[in-house]
Amino acid sequence: NRRDRNLGELSYPIYICHWPMLMFLNEYDFFGLAKYARIPVMLGLTIVVAVVLYNFIDAPVEKLRQALAKKAIAA
């Protein structure tokens, strides 16, 4: 299922960026949000950053890795 695969591809970027997002929101008082009101903001920001990481870093590196592997096999 394509949706499951996309969600699976985001699991590692979410894991990588959830802690920095938590620290970022704890460091800066966003709009005077209460502690528990920050949770949805943190989740949303984490997902957005994870999607950006996947689309601009992970996916291009994976394509490059596969191209280099094909080239090595062909040689």
Side-chain angles (χ1 to χ4, degrees):
N1 187 343
R2 185 177 175 173
R3 187 179 301 169
D4 289 339
R5 180 179 170 91
N6 288 338
L7 185 61
E9 293 292 341
L10 285 179
S11 64
Y12 188 68
I14 287 173
Y15 170 74
I16 289 296
C17 69
H18 84 279
W19 186 256
M21 295 300 107
L22 179 63
M23 293 295 103
F24 181 72
L25 287 176
N26 281 336
E27 183 69 27
Y28 300 103
D29 189 22
F30 271 68
F31 310 110
L33 291 175
K35 183 177 180 179
Y36 294 109
R38 293 180 190 178
I39 293 172
V41 174
M42 187 200 68
L43 289 173
L45 188 59
T46 299
I47 291 170
V48 167
V49 170
V51 168
V52 168
L53 283 173
Y54 176 74
N55 287 327
F56 292 105
I57 296 174
D58 192 27
V61 168
E62 182 63 22
K63 285 181 185 178
L64 176 63
R65 187 188 68 76
Q66 288 180 3
L68 291 173
K70 282 184 183 179
K71 193 175 186 180
I73 290 172

